[in-house]
Amino acid sequence: SQQGEEDPQALSIQEGENATMNCSYKTSINNLQWYRQNSGRGLVHLILIRSNEREKHSGRLRVTLDTSKKSSSLLITASRAADTASYFCATDPDTGRRALTFGSGTRLQVQP
Amino acid sequence: DAGVTQSPTHLIKTRGQHVTLRCSPISGHKSVSWYQQVLGQGPQFIFQYYEKEERGRGNFPDRFSARQFPNYSSELNVNALLLGDSALYLCASSSMPGQPQHFGDGTRLSIL
Protein backbone atom coordinates (compact mmCIF):
# COMPACT_ATOMS: atom_id res chain seq x y z
CA SER A 1 0.00 0.00 0.00
CA GLN A 2 1.11 3.58 -0.60
CA GLN A 3 1.94 5.44 2.61
CA GLY A 4 2.31 8.87 1.09
CA GLU A 5 -0.05 10.79 -1.09
CA GLU A 6 1.25 13.57 -3.31
CA ASP A 7 -0.79 16.57 -4.25
CA PRO A 8 -1.42 17.61 -6.94
CA GLN A 9 -1.35 14.48 -9.10
CA ALA A 10 -0.33 16.60 -12.09
CA LEU A 11 1.05 20.12 -12.47
CA SER A 12 1.74 22.15 -15.60
CA ILE A 13 3.71 25.41 -15.39
CA GLN A 14 5.77 27.73 -17.57
CA GLU A 15 9.55 27.85 -17.50
CA GLY A 16 10.77 30.24 -14.82
CA GLU A 17 7.78 29.68 -12.54
CA ASN A 18 7.99 27.90 -9.19
CA ALA A 19 6.50 24.45 -8.65
CA THR A 20 5.22 23.24 -5.30
CA MET A 21 4.34 19.62 -4.56
CA ASN A 22 2.92 18.33 -1.31
CA CYS A 23 3.13 14.96 0.39
CA SER A 24 1.16 13.52 3.29
CA TYR A 25 2.00 10.34 5.17
CA LYS A 26 0.50 8.24 7.93
CA THR A 27 3.11 6.80 10.31
CA SER A 28 6.09 8.01 12.34
CA ILE A 29 9.23 8.38 10.29
CA ASN A 30 13.01 8.49 10.59
CA ASN A 31 13.30 10.61 7.48
CA LEU A 32 11.47 11.62 4.33
CA GLN A 33 13.08 11.59 0.91
CA TRP A 34 12.14 13.09 -2.44
CA TYR A 35 12.93 11.39 -5.74
CA ARG A 36 12.55 12.31 -9.41
CA GLN A 37 11.75 9.90 -12.22
CA ASN A 38 12.07 10.69 -15.89
CA SER A 39 9.82 8.67 -18.17
CA GLY A 40 10.95 5.06 -18.46
CA ARG A 41 13.94 5.52 -16.18
CA GLY A 42 14.86 4.73 -12.61
CA LEU A 43 14.38 7.12 -9.73
CA VAL A 44 16.98 9.72 -8.78
CA HIS A 45 17.39 10.81 -5.16
CA LEU A 46 16.95 14.55 -4.69
CA ILE A 47 16.98 15.35 -1.00
CA LEU A 48 16.58 13.73 2.43
CA ILE A 49 15.12 15.52 5.44
CA ARG A 50 15.32 13.96 8.89
CA SER A 51 12.40 13.89 11.31
CA ASN A 52 14.06 16.50 13.55
CA GLU A 53 14.59 18.95 10.67
CA ARG A 54 12.00 21.43 9.47
CA GLU A 55 13.54 22.77 6.26
CA LYS A 56 16.32 21.85 3.89
CA HIS A 57 17.74 23.39 0.73
CA SER A 58 19.67 21.95 -2.18
CA GLY A 59 20.27 24.24 -5.15
CA ARG A 60 16.85 25.21 -6.54
CA LEU A 61 15.09 22.73 -4.24
CA ARG A 62 13.54 23.56 -0.90
CA VAL A 63 11.90 20.89 1.25
CA THR A 64 9.86 21.43 4.39
CA LEU A 65 8.68 18.85 6.89
CA ASP A 66 5.90 19.17 9.46
CA THR A 67 5.84 16.00 11.56
CA SER A 68 2.84 17.22 13.59
CA LYS A 69 0.78 17.34 10.39
CA LYS A 70 2.62 14.40 8.81
CA SER A 71 3.25 16.42 5.68
CA SER A 72 6.09 17.66 3.51
CA SER A 73 6.43 19.98 0.56
CA LEU A 74 8.94 20.23 -2.28
CA LEU A 75 9.48 23.61 -3.93
CA ILE A 76 11.37 23.87 -7.20
CA THR A 77 12.26 27.48 -7.94
CA ALA A 78 12.85 28.99 -11.40
CA SER A 79 11.76 25.78 -13.11
CA ARG A 80 13.30 24.60 -16.38
CA ALA A 81 11.98 22.35 -19.15
CA ALA A 82 14.49 19.72 -17.93
CA ASP A 83 12.60 19.57 -14.61
CA THR A 84 9.74 17.82 -16.42
CA ALA A 85 9.40 14.48 -14.62
CA SER A 86 7.42 12.65 -11.94
CA TYR A 87 8.29 13.48 -8.36
CA PHE A 88 7.79 11.06 -5.47
CA CYS A 89 8.05 11.40 -1.73
CA ALA A 90 9.21 8.35 0.20
CA THR A 91 9.12 7.76 3.92
CA ASP A 92 11.62 5.78 5.97
CA PRO A 93 9.33 4.52 8.75
CA ASP A 94 10.25 4.52 12.40
CA THR A 95 10.01 0.73 12.61
CA GLY A 96 12.47 -2.15 12.50
CA ARG A 97 12.07 -2.45 8.77
CA ARG A 98 13.92 0.41 7.09
CA ALA A 99 12.17 0.09 3.73
CA LEU A 100 11.04 3.15 1.84
CA THR A 101 7.32 3.60 1.23
CA PHE A 102 6.56 5.73 -1.82
CA GLY A 103 3.64 7.95 -2.61
CA SER A 104 1.77 7.97 -5.89
CA GLY A 105 3.72 10.89 -7.33
CA THR A 106 3.20 14.28 -8.94
CA ARG A 107 3.68 14.57 -12.69
CA LEU A 108 5.29 17.93 -13.43
CA GLN A 109 5.25 19.40 -16.93
CA VAL A 110 7.34 22.54 -17.48
CA GLN A 111 6.47 24.29 -20.72
CA PRO A 112 9.37 26.08 -22.48
CA ASP B 1 31.91 4.41 -10.92
CA ALA B 2 29.14 2.33 -12.43
CA GLY B 3 25.63 2.87 -11.12
CA VAL B 4 23.11 0.17 -10.31
CA THR B 5 22.76 -2.18 -13.25
CA GLN B 6 19.80 -4.40 -13.95
CA SER B 7 19.29 -7.15 -16.49
CA PRO B 8 17.50 -7.76 -18.69
CA THR B 9 16.06 -4.36 -19.63
CA HIS B 10 12.95 -5.84 -21.20
CA LEU B 11 11.31 -9.24 -20.91
CA ILE B 12 8.18 -10.81 -22.35
CA LYS B 13 6.72 -13.90 -20.70
CA THR B 14 3.45 -15.81 -20.76
CA ARG B 15 1.19 -16.64 -17.85
CA GLY B 16 2.44 -19.49 -15.65
CA GLN B 17 6.10 -19.03 -16.58
CA HIS B 18 8.94 -18.18 -14.23
CA VAL B 19 11.29 -15.18 -14.41
CA THR B 20 14.61 -14.21 -12.83
CA LEU B 21 15.69 -10.58 -12.69
CA ARG B 22 19.22 -9.54 -11.78
CA CYS B 23 20.75 -6.53 -10.10
CA SER B 24 24.30 -5.36 -9.44
CA PRO B 25 24.57 -2.66 -6.78
CA ILE B 26 26.95 0.26 -6.68
CA SER B 27 30.38 -0.88 -5.52
CA GLY B 28 30.54 -0.76 -1.72
CA HIS B 29 26.78 -0.82 -1.24
CA LYS B 30 25.60 -3.71 0.90
CA SER B 31 21.85 -3.07 0.90
CA VAL B 32 19.66 -3.96 -2.07
CA SER B 33 15.93 -3.38 -2.34
CA TRP B 34 13.44 -4.48 -4.97
CA TYR B 35 10.33 -2.54 -6.02
CA GLN B 36 7.45 -3.12 -8.40
CA GLN B 37 6.14 -0.08 -10.25
CA VAL B 38 2.87 -0.33 -12.13
CA LEU B 39 2.24 2.33 -14.76
CA GLY B 40 1.04 5.57 -13.21
CA GLN B 41 1.83 4.59 -9.62
CA GLY B 42 4.73 4.88 -7.23
CA PRO B 43 7.12 2.00 -6.56
CA GLN B 44 5.85 -0.72 -4.20
CA PHE B 45 8.37 -2.34 -1.88
CA ILE B 46 8.95 -6.07 -2.45
CA PHE B 47 12.17 -7.07 -0.62
CA GLN B 48 15.15 -5.60 1.15
CA TYR B 49 18.45 -7.40 1.70
CA TYR B 50 21.35 -6.20 3.80
CA GLU B 51 24.57 -8.11 4.32
CA LYS B 52 23.01 -11.07 2.49
CA GLU B 53 20.09 -11.38 4.91
CA GLU B 54 16.45 -10.54 4.22
CA ARG B 55 15.62 -7.43 6.24
CA GLY B 56 12.13 -6.77 5.00
CA ARG B 57 9.37 -8.07 2.82
CA GLY B 58 6.45 -6.19 1.34
CA ASN B 59 2.89 -7.35 0.81
CA PHE B 60 3.58 -9.70 -2.09
CA PRO B 61 2.64 -13.39 -2.45
CA ASP B 62 5.06 -16.27 -1.93
CA ARG B 63 5.46 -16.51 -5.70
CA PHE B 64 7.98 -13.69 -5.24
CA SER B 65 11.36 -14.58 -3.79
CA ALA B 66 14.82 -13.05 -3.77
CA ARG B 67 18.34 -13.58 -2.58
CA GLN B 68 21.58 -11.65 -2.21
CA PHE B 69 24.92 -13.14 -3.12
CA PRO B 70 28.33 -12.78 -1.38
CA ASN B 71 29.28 -10.02 -3.85
CA TYR B 72 26.03 -8.19 -2.84
CA SER B 73 24.38 -8.64 -6.22
CA SER B 74 20.80 -9.84 -6.07
CA GLU B 75 18.17 -11.83 -7.92
CA LEU B 76 14.40 -11.48 -7.86
CA ASN B 77 12.43 -14.57 -8.84
CA VAL B 78 8.76 -14.68 -9.69
CA ASN B 79 6.96 -17.99 -10.24
CA ALA B 80 3.62 -18.77 -11.88
CA LEU B 81 3.44 -15.39 -13.59
CA LEU B 82 0.09 -13.62 -13.75
CA LEU B 83 -1.04 -10.85 -16.07
CA GLY B 84 -1.00 -8.51 -13.08
CA ASP B 85 2.73 -9.03 -12.66
CA SER B 86 3.32 -6.84 -15.71
CA ALA B 87 5.28 -3.88 -14.39
CA LEU B 88 8.62 -2.13 -14.16
CA TYR B 89 10.80 -3.90 -11.57
CA LEU B 90 13.30 -1.59 -9.94
CA CYS B 91 16.38 -2.45 -7.95
CA ALA B 92 17.96 0.08 -5.61
CA SER B 93 21.14 -0.03 -3.57
CA SER B 94 22.37 1.95 -0.60
CA SER B 95 25.25 1.77 1.83
CA MET B 96 22.82 0.63 4.52
CA PRO B 97 19.05 0.59 5.13
CA GLY B 98 17.51 4.01 5.60
CA GLN B 99 20.12 5.82 3.51
CA PRO B 100 19.32 7.42 0.13
CA GLN B 101 18.81 4.77 -2.48
CA HIS B 102 20.35 4.63 -5.93
CA PHE B 103 18.07 3.09 -8.52
CA GLY B 104 18.75 1.17 -11.68
CA ASP B 105 16.66 1.82 -14.77
CA GLY B 106 14.61 -1.30 -14.13
CA THR B 107 13.42 -4.36 -16.00
CA ARG B 108 10.20 -3.91 -17.97
CA LEU B 109 8.29 -7.20 -17.61
CA SER B 110 5.33 -7.85 -19.87
CA ILE B 111 3.09 -10.87 -19.35
CA LEU B 112 1.02 -12.08 -22.29
Side-chain angles (χ1 to χ4, degrees), chain A residues 1-2 31 33 35 37 40-45 47-48 50 88 92 96-105 107, chain B residues 33 35 37 40-45 48 55-59 88 90 97-106 108:
Chain A
S1 61
Q2 309 272 180
N31 63 64
Q33 304 176 28
Y35 289 80
Q37 185 178 34
R41 303 296 301 273
L43 284 77
V44 175
H45 178 261
I47 197 165
L48 180 154
R50 302 187 195 287
F88 296 91
D92 174 25
R97 189 186 85 180
R98 303 292 299 275
L100 293 181
T101 303
F102 285 82
S104 50
R107 293 184 303 279
Chain B
S33 298
Y35 296 87
Q37 187 177 27
Q41 297 183 19
Q44 294 266 13
F45 170 72
Q48 182 183 77
R55 288 299 188 96
R57 183 186 183 114
N59 188 25
L88 180 67
L90 294 163
Q99 294 301 305
Q101 298 194 358
H102 299 258
F103 282 80
D105 282 339
R108 174 74 59 188

Side-chain angles (χ1 to χ4, degrees), chain A residues 4-106:
Chain A
E5 293 295 330
E6 279 93 338
D7 169 52
Q9 291 187 333
L11 181 61
S12 182
I13 60 174
Q14 297 294 124
E15 235 177 359
E17 294 181 338
N18 295 341
T20 299
M21 288 159 264
N22 302 297
C23 166
S24 61
Y25 59 92
K26 299 174 184 174
T27 63
S28 298
I29 60 172
N30 288 303
N31 63 64
L32 185 144
Q33 304 176 28
W34 284 90
Y35 289 80
R36 184 188 74 221
Q37 185 178 34
N38 289 86
S39 181
R41 303 296 301 273
L43 284 77
V44 175
H45 178 261
L46 296 175
I47 197 165
L48 180 154
I49 186 165
R50 302 187 195 287
S51 60
N52 61 353
E53 297 175 312
R54 291 297 168 257
E55 187 171 312
K56 203 160 184 180
H57 297 254
S58 177
R60 295 184 296 113
L61 305 180
R62 171 178 171 257
V63 168
T64 61
L65 178 65
D66 187 333
T67 53
S68 67
K69 295 181 179 178
K70 290 186 170 57
S71 67
S72 174
S73 67
L74 170 67
L75 169 66
I76 304 174
T77 60
S79 63
R80 306 166 181 168
D83 294 328
T84 294
S86 291
Y87 291 81
F88 296 91
C89 69
T91 50
D92 174 25
D94 187 15
T95 63
R97 189 186 85 180
R98 303 292 299 275
L100 293 181
T101 303
F102 285 82
S104 50
T106 292

Side-chain angles (χ1 to χ4, degrees), chain B residues 16-52:
Chain B
Q17 285 190 311
H18 162 271
V19 68
T20 298
L21 310 181
R22 296 178 174 83
C23 171
S24 292
I26 288 174
S27 178
H29 282 187
K30 299 180 179 180
S31 177
V32 170
S33 298
W34 287 95
Y35 296 87
Q36 180 195 66
Q37 187 177 27
V38 174
L39 194 63
Q41 297 183 19
Q44 294 266 13
F45 170 72
I46 310 175
F47 284 108
Q48 182 183 77
Y49 279 80
Y50 178 58
E51 290 281 19
K52 291 157 281 185

